[in-house]
């Protein structure tokens, strides 16, 4: 096939970049070049920002009802095009079609939540706080927002950003991952088909220079980022130094704790689904399991069930483990597996050199399980972002909690147990932002905020829920008093009083 050219979207139109720097977008299962994406020029980025800046003047004045109706139409179109979006995700990211459809569904949750903007953006009023004086707050948009997303959820992560931002009256410039941009582009096209005015939502492509421009441009007022810790630290620093509001959701090292009173089959099935689904390329995956007490005897069962996970291309709906996104990602994962062996962990299941018939060029890594893992090992310290599970043992729940709290990251954690007492103890004492009780991937529904913590997050406000509305708006407080016509003044009063 002839690779498609990935356009920018500026003023509601697809625009082909004049950049001389274009990168290949590969199908992870075949290495076929399916698209080419530009690293836009800074002049093109400025053009997209200027477009959003001009559109803001009229969009912020658009009524809440009109914005709501556009979002309602948008969610309808996304729902109708779920299979199309999923197919594009699978082609460029590699994840299985059912997983890709699930991703679209999680993105839809945010769009549906944005449809409630008339109530989400309500303000507060206190009447007659002093004689004839009312005080009220307004929740007004910031201006132009920017979003920078990672490759692992090319539809869901943009939905964590622009639907609430534009529903609250902001305009937006989005930079999707250069590794799988096409599904993001199609999502934005559907937003325009829903009636979004030109300039309200623009798309550019590129690397560090483009990201830096989005963080530092004078017209950008807020920056949302989801990706690696290294890049997130840079984004937050650049945006903050430029006086922008910033939120950065970053790296993780999530832990799944299994107590011996848990339902063994359910817990193990949930664990390996979390660890190996999407080839482990989820910031909310559980790449570490802490087996507590007698559950330490379940390591062999975990290994045996992991062996049964089927590896193959995402287009095969019977597949459990898809390829990783790129040859570079595969090489990094293999290096980390090698380091685990060198540092003394027991390689109970080796997924290296995994071959899939008919897809010999694919970026496949089979399910890999390490036991006897210690906190000093690289496979524990680094976010592998691949289908690699580390097994750790603890004597007690207290020991497991202390072990997790000692890790610098705080994105997500899960506990499997039949004890309500243990569950409450865990959720109260664990220092992690998102907690799952008998839930392997505790990503909250869209009307609750995404609440990763510690090294996994920078900025006081996260995506989704009430925090997202707060992030994309600023409060203005009005104190007012109205006098009767021709009323007589009480005279000059030099004290500050509101009697």
């Amino acid at each position: 096939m002839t690779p498609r050219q990935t356009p920018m979207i500026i003023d509601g139109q697809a625009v082909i970049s004049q950049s001389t720097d274009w990168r290949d977008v590969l199908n992870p299962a075949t290495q076929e070049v399916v698209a080419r994406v530009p690293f836009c020029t800074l002049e093109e980025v400025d053009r997209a920002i200027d477009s959003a800046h001009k559109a803001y003047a009229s969009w912020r004045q658009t009524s809440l009802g009109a914005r709501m109706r556009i979002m309602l139409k948008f969610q309808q179109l996304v729902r109708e095009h779920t299979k199309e979006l999923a197919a594009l995700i699978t082609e460029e990211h590699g994840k299985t079609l059912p997983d890709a459809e699930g991703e679209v569904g999680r993105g839809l949750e945010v769009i549906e939540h944005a449809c409630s903007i008339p109530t989400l953006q309500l303000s507060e009023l206190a009447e007659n706080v002093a004689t004839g004086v009312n005080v009220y707050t307004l929740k007004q948009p910031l201006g132009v927002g920017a979003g920078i997303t990672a490759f692992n959820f090319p539809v869901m992560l943009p939905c964590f950003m622009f639907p609430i931002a534009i529903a609250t009256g902001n305009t937006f410039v989005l930079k999707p991952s250069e590794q799988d941009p096409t599904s993001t582009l199609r999502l934005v096209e559907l937003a325009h088909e829903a009636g979004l005015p030109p300039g309200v939502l623009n798309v550019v492509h590129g690397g560090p220079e483009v990201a830096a421009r989005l963080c530092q441009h004078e017209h950008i007022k807020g920056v949302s980022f989801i990706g690696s810790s290294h890049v997130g630290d840079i984004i937050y620093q650049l945006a903050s130094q430029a006086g922008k509001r910033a939120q950065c959701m970053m790296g993780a090292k999530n832990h799944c704790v299994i107590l011996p009173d848990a339902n063994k089959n359910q817990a193990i099935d949930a664990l390996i689904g979390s660890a190996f689904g999407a080839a482990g390329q989820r910031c909310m995956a559980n790449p570490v399991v802490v087996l507590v007490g007698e559950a330490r005897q379940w390591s062999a069962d975990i290994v045996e069930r992991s062996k049964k996970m089927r590896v193959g291309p995402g287009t095969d709906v019977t597949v459990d483990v898809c390829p990783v996104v790129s040859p570079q990602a595969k090489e990094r994962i293999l290096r980390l597996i090698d380091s685990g062996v060198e540092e003394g962990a027991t390689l109970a299941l080796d997924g290296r050199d995994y071959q899939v018939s008919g897809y010999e060029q694919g970026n496949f890594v089979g399910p890999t399980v390490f036991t006897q893992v210690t906190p000093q090992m690289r496979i524990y310290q680094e976010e592998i972002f691949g289908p690699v599970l580390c097994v750790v043992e603890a004597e007690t729940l207290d020991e497991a909690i202390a072990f997790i709290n000692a890790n610098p990251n705080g994105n997500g954690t899960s506990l499997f147990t039949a004890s309500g007492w243990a569950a409450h103890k865990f959720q109260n004492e664990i220092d992690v932002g998102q907690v799952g009780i008998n839930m392997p991937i505790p990503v909250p529904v869209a009307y609750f905020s995404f609440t990763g913590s510690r090294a996994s997050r920078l900025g006081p406000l996260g995506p989704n829920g009430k925090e997202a509305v707060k992030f994309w708006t600023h409060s203005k407080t009005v104190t007012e008093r109205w006098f009767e016509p021709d009323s007589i003044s009480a005279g000059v009063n030099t004290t500050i009083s509101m009697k």
Side-chain angles (χ1 to χ4, degrees):
M1 61 175 287
T2 301
R4 52 183 171 261
Q5 280 191 311
T6 305
M8 304 175 292
I9 294 183
I10 302 177
D11 283 330
Q13 301 295 320
V15 179
I16 298 300
S17 173
Q18 297 305 302
S19 173
T20 57
D21 186 1
W22 287 71
R23 310 291 175 93
D24 291 340
V25 178
L26 304 177
N27 182 322
T30 65
Q31 299 308 301
E32 177 186 15
V33 179
V34 295
R36 303 194 73 236
V37 62
F39 274 38
C40 299
T41 67
L42 295 183
E43 290 77 13
E44 291 168 336
V45 177
D46 290 345
R47 179 182 165 191
I49 296 172
D50 289 341
S51 167
H53 179 62
K54 292 174 183 176
Y56 174 66
S58 58
W59 180 245
R60 74 184 302 263
Q61 300 298 334
T62 301
S63 71
L64 291 171
R67 290 185 229 153
M68 176 187 67
R69 287 187 288 274
I70 291 173
M71 299 310 293
L72 285 166
K73 180 63 174 178
F74 182 34
Q75 69 85 25
Q76 176 189 346
L77 289 172
V78 172
R79 188 174 301 280
E80 292 172 353
H81 290 80
T82 292
K83 290 189 179 299
E84 176 193 355
L85 290 165
L88 291 171
I89 294 170
T90 297
E91 183 178 51
E92 294 183 351
H93 173 280
K95 67 178 62 175
T96 66
L97 283 169
D99 194 22
E101 289 185 20
E103 175 187 339
V104 177
R106 294 310 301 267
L108 261 173
E109 288 181 2
V110 190
I111 301 171
E112 291 166 348
H113 185 50
C115 294
S116 301
I117 194 60
T119 55
L120 295 176
Q121 210 166 343
L122 287 178
S123 300
E124 299 174 329
L125 181 144
E127 186 180 19
N128 209 33
V129 297
T131 304
V133 176
N134 300 330
V135 178
Y136 56 92
T137 60
L138 304 174
K139 292 182 180 178
Q140 297 187 327
L142 296 179
V144 182
I148 302 168
T149 63
F151 75 89
N152 56 329
F153 289 97
V155 166
M156 187 182 77
L157 297 187
C159 286
F160 276 21
M161 298 179 182
F162 77 78
I164 293 294
I166 63 177
T168 50
N170 301 280
T171 55
F172 208 82
V173 180
L174 177 65
K175 191 196 86 64
S177 169
E178 68 279 6
Q179 293 182 282
D180 49 4
T182 305
S183 58
T184 307
L185 263 291
R186 185 65 183 123
L187 181 73
V188 172
E189 289 174 355
L190 293 174
H192 286 95
E193 289 179 30
L196 205 62
V200 172
L201 178 58
N202 299 320
V203 179
V204 295
H205 309 282
E209 284 191 348
V210 171
R213 190 64 144 226
L214 292 174
C215 292
Q216 297 173 313
H217 195 285
E218 61 176 337
H219 291 329
I220 298 292
K221 304 302 180 184
V223 178
S224 182
F225 169 83
I226 301 176
S228 70
S229 293
H230 171 69
V231 177
D233 287 341
I234 296 171
I235 294 295
Y236 192 81
Q237 183 179 28
L238 288 174
S240 298
Q241 288 177 348
K244 319 300 183 187
R245 187 175 293 187
Q247 59 176 199
C248 294
M249 302 296 109
M250 305 185 299
K253 196 68 177 184
N254 305 325
H255 300 72
C256 175
V257 177
I258 300 180
L259 299 185
D261 65 355
N263 183 305
K264 180 178 178 180
N265 290 331
Q266 290 179 351
I268 293 176
D269 285 345
L271 167 67
I272 62 176
S274 167
F276 303 133
Q281 299 171 123
R282 296 171 176 155
C283 68
M284 289 296 290
N286 274 312
V288 181
V289 60
V290 183
L291 301 178
V292 178
E294 294 180 3
R296 290 175 291 184
Q297 301 172 14
W298 299 355
S299 290
D301 299 277
I302 292 171
V303 172
E304 288 305 310
R305 295 204 191 181
S306 299
K307 289 179 181 178
K308 297 177 182 178
M309 300 286 280
R310 185 174 178 189
V311 181
T315 50
D316 183 345
V317 296
T318 68
V319 158
D320 301 305
V321 182
C322 65
V324 297
V325 70
S326 68
Q328 294 78 15
K330 178 179 177 179
E331 290 173 7
R332 178 180 178 275
I333 293 165
L334 295 181
R335 285 198 303 270
L336 282 167
I337 295 173
D338 291 342
S339 77
V341 174
E342 293 166 2
E343 292 178 349
T346 299
L347 186 57
L349 180 61
D350 189 352
R352 296 173 294 183
D353 301 320
Y354 203 100
Q355 294 292 318
V356 177
S357 178
Y359 295 88
E360 286 76 16
Q361 300 303 311
N363 308 319
F364 294 102
V365 180
T368 299
V369 181
F370 279 104
T371 59
Q372 305 298 315
V373 175
T374 67
Q376 294 75 32
M377 296 175 178
R378 285 184 62 200
I379 55 172
Y380 177 76
Q381 293 179 348
E382 297 186 28
E383 185 176 23
I384 300 174
F385 230 58
V388 181
L389 176 63
C390 297
V391 180
V392 175
E393 297 181 359
E395 184 73 34
T396 64
L397 178 58
D398 283 324
E399 184 181 330
I401 291 171
F403 182 83
I404 296 170
N405 286 346
N407 190 285
N409 296 289
N411 206 36
T413 187
S414 297
L415 173 71
F416 282 83
T417 182
S419 168
W421 177 88
H424 280 280
K425 174 182 175 65
F426 185 77
Q427 71 184 36
N428 288 331
E429 297 182 14
I430 204 72
D431 189 11
V432 174
Q434 294 165 128
V435 179
I437 304 298
N438 297 319
M439 292 287 293
I441 303 178
V443 178
V445 291
Y447 35 92
F448 283 81
S449 298
F450 194 91
T451 51
S453 62
R454 294 192 283 155
S456 296
R457 168 177 171 168
L458 287 171
L461 299 171
N464 296 347
K466 293 180 180 179
E467 290 190 6
V469 176
K470 288 181 180 179
F471 182 83
W472 293 113
T473 60
H474 67 88
S475 296
K476 182 182 292 182
T477 305
V478 179
T479 303
E480 66 176 17
R481 170 184 279 157
W482 297 100
F483 297 100
E484 292 183 31
D486 302 322
S487 62
I488 299 173
S489 171
V492 175
N493 191 334
T494 57
T495 64
I496 298 174
S497 175
M498 288 184 60
K499 293 181 179 178

